[in-house]
Amino acid sequence: MPLESIRKMVLVCLMTALTAVGAQIAVPIGPVPIVLTNLFVLLAGLLLGPTQGAAAMGLYLLLGAVGLPVFANFKGGLAHLLGPTGGYLLGFVAAAWLVGVLSHGRPSRWFDGIAVVLGSLVIYALGVPWLKVVTGMAWTKALAVGMLPFLVGDAVKAAAAVMLAWSLRPALLRHVRTASA
Amino acid sequence: MARGLALHYVPRPSGVHRLDARTKLFAVLALTMALFRPDGPVYAAVTLGLPVAVMASHLPWSLLVRTLRGWLPFLALIFMVQAFSPPDVSGNAFLSAAAAPSWAARLSFLAACFPREALIQAGVGTWRLLLMVLWAVVFTAVTPARDLQNAVLWLLRPIGFLPARRIAVMTALSLRFFALLLDDLEEVRLAQRARLAGRNRNPWRRLRTTIPALFRKALGRSEATALALAARGYREDLPVHIPPWPPKEAAGLCLLAALLAALHLF
């Protein structure tokens, strides 16, 4: 297997591991203390592009599903995928892919901003209907429980993802260039 | 921080543990799907089956209690939101009723906010959620991660462009990175504390200093790992051995599905 492909594969694993680490970092912002999982989901799309970003998130879900403690507070297991949070977790894959599609090859903060906003909305677009189906709640209640309390935190995370992507991209590009030389 | 890493598999010498991971996975999926249709006999069967499964697999009850404790705030919130049905009054009337001077008036107002039907519906919904979570916890506790990984690879086999060997290697690599990065994070935090950066209470500023440092450390690790894999001649054309699914267990699973379908009908 060519070294370039191995490097890409290892970078995907790295982003998966960073997402798992991010899930253990709690930040007291907004009405609900937030964990940084979403931040790394958006970063995966911004830094790795659609295919590798979605692959990193797919791998993250696989690790969690097989019971490895990669979800928030060192939790893991199928309960998180089949339970009320399953939709949000599946939304991670779609969000990373969408953010990658919208931002990759377009070095502009505006594109990145639009991408992370839409990416965050995709997580809710899958998470809230799943929560509604699993709990049997009405739409208004599902939105009140599964979306509204997290909006402030998610806005901060989306902004942070764009800022961090712009400070991390040079390091990533330098790393790729040095490795290829 | 890596000390917090603990697998959720509980090894025990039980028949449930010896079952094929695919059998257990499909059984839990069937039970979860059965819970989606509100049906008394199915709820009763799935509820009674849970303690039977826990005892048959010799799992400690504390495992379920611990899980329950973790999910309790979320379940309580779901229950409250589902049960709450505000009475059809104007805003001022609502506020004045809520701040009524006598306890009897307040209690009757509370009863109006949480009607009996809504409470029952919320109770059933929360119970269903709890059953889903607990069955999945039992499944994770009786299935080794490697077996479940093989089961997932078996499921992905029909999708030709997903190489089974690559997924297996990536899973192992990610887990190794996870443990290393947790320790790197701790190291970054200690270094910041030594430079008095830990005194800064602004979470945004702390993020801006922590994550880039962690990312740069991680990039260094990734290059070393990629070179090590290449040096060892990593290749993907080597087969991954996944044992065949025992036919007896597949037949047993079909029986379970038929039983659940029959319970739905009667």
Side-chain angles (χ1 to χ4, degrees):
Chain A
M1 193 174 177
L3 181 59
E4 213 49 47
S5 305
I6 295 179
R7 274 202 189 103
K8 281 182 185 169
M9 184 180 90
V10 174
L11 272 180
V12 168
C13 298
L14 193 71
M15 195 45 85
T16 304
L18 278 170
T19 310
V21 172
Q24 318 311 328
I25 306 174
V27 184
I29 300 173
V32 183
I34 56 168
V35 288
L36 300 185
T37 323
N38 292 32
L39 173 70
F40 283 98
V41 172
L42 302 173
L43 268 179
L46 288 172
L47 295 175
L48 300 184
T51 316
Q52 291 177 58
M57 289 309 114
L59 190 61
Y60 176 65
L61 296 195
L62 175 66
L63 290 179
V66 300
L68 300 172
V70 292
F71 296 146
N73 295 320
F74 294 106
K75 298 269 171 59
L78 210 60
H80 294 263
L81 278 174
L82 293 181
T85 50
Y88 298 98
L89 292 172
L90 290 176
F92 288 173
V93 182
W97 180 82
L98 184 70
V99 170
V101 165
L102 293 175
S103 67
H104 214 55
R106 297 186 187 94
S108 147
R109 277 201 171 90
W110 284 108
F111 273 116
D112 286 355
I114 293 167
V116 292
V117 168
L118 290 177
S120 302
L121 288 177
V122 161
I123 296 176
Y124 287 118
L126 289 172
V128 175
W130 184 292
L131 181 71
K132 182 195 175 302
V133 170
V134 169
T135 58
M137 284 192 289
W139 278 109
T140 46
K141 289 181 177 178
L143 284 169
V145 173
M147 186 171 165
L148 295 180
F150 308 105
L151 283 179
V152 176
D154 276 355
V156 174
K157 278 187 270 187
V162 175
M163 297 298 164
L164 284 171
W166 276 78
S167 76
L168 295 177
R169 259 190 203 132
L172 184 65
L173 287 173
R174 212 169 31 245
H175 165 80
V176 172
R177 258 186 240 129
T178 317
S180 310
Chain B
M1 272 181 97
R3 275 178 300 171
L5 277 175
L7 299 180
H8 297 274
Y9 170 64
V10 182
R12 290 281 188 277
S14 80
V16 182
H17 281 75
R18 281 192 294 275
L19 283 173
D20 191 278
R22 286 159 285 194
T23 311
K24 289 182 270 189
L25 178 65
F26 288 130
V28 168
L29 287 177
L31 291 168
T32 306
M33 297 305 285
L35 286 171
F36 273 102
R37 271 187 61 189
D39 208 337
V42 174
Y43 271 51
V46 177
T47 307
L48 289 174
L50 187 69
V52 173
V54 172
M55 283 190 282
S57 48
H58 308 309
L59 289 176
W61 290 100
S62 58
L63 175 78
L64 296 192
V65 175
R66 218 169 40 232
T67 307
L68 199 62
R69 217 182 293 149
W71 282 84
L72 209 55
F74 184 77
L75 292 172
L77 176 70
I78 295 282
F79 178 81
M80 291 298 283
V81 170
Q82 267 189 297
F84 181 64
S85 309
D88 195 15
V89 291
S90 68
N92 283 339
F94 187 88
L95 288 177
S96 59
S102 72
W103 281 105
R106 279 184 201 170
L107 278 176
S108 65
F109 174 72
L110 260 181
C113 285
F114 294 94
R116 195 164 172 272
E117 297 77 37
L119 279 174
I120 291 171
Q121 205 180 343
V124 172
T126 312
W127 183 243
R128 176 176 65 175
L129 213 56
L130 187 64
L131 282 175
M132 283 175 172
V133 168
L134 291 181
W135 269 106
V137 166
V138 169
F139 167 76
T140 307
V142 297
T143 313
R146 175 55 60 91
D147 287 6
L148 187 53
Q149 183 188 308
N150 282 343
V152 173
L153 294 180
W154 180 82
L155 281 171
L156 294 176
R157 263 187 174 176
I159 310 171
F161 60 87
L162 284 175
R165 184 162 180 80
R166 189 186 294 188
I167 295 171
V169 169
M170 286 172 83
T171 307
L173 273 182
S174 302
L175 196 60
R176 179 170 160 69
F177 277 139
F178 180 36
L180 290 172
L181 289 180
L182 280 174
D183 283 337
D184 282 351
L185 177 67
E186 195 63 20
E187 208 173 284
V188 168
R189 278 181 177 163
L190 285 173
Q192 286 179 343
R193 208 171 294 160
R195 293 179 180 87
L196 300 180
R199 293 171 78 181
N200 196 325
R201 293 282 162 214
N202 182 346
W204 168 236
R205 195 175 285 270
R206 286 173 79 173
L207 268 186
R208 275 186 69 185
T209 50
T210 307
I211 291 176
L214 184 68
F215 191 77
R216 285 191 186 98
K217 268 179 167 278
L219 276 182
R221 285 197 190 283
S222 87
E223 184 56 18
T225 310
L227 288 175
L229 277 171
R232 283 165 179 77
Y234 170 72
R235 44 193 285 202
E236 286 184 343
D237 51 350
L238 299 172
V240 177
H241 175 67
I242 300 171
W245 191 8
K248 273 186 191 168
E249 292 188 15
L253 186 71
C254 290
L255 265 176
L256 174 73
L259 179 73
L260 288 171
L263 281 173
H264 263 305
L265 289 175
F266 297 108

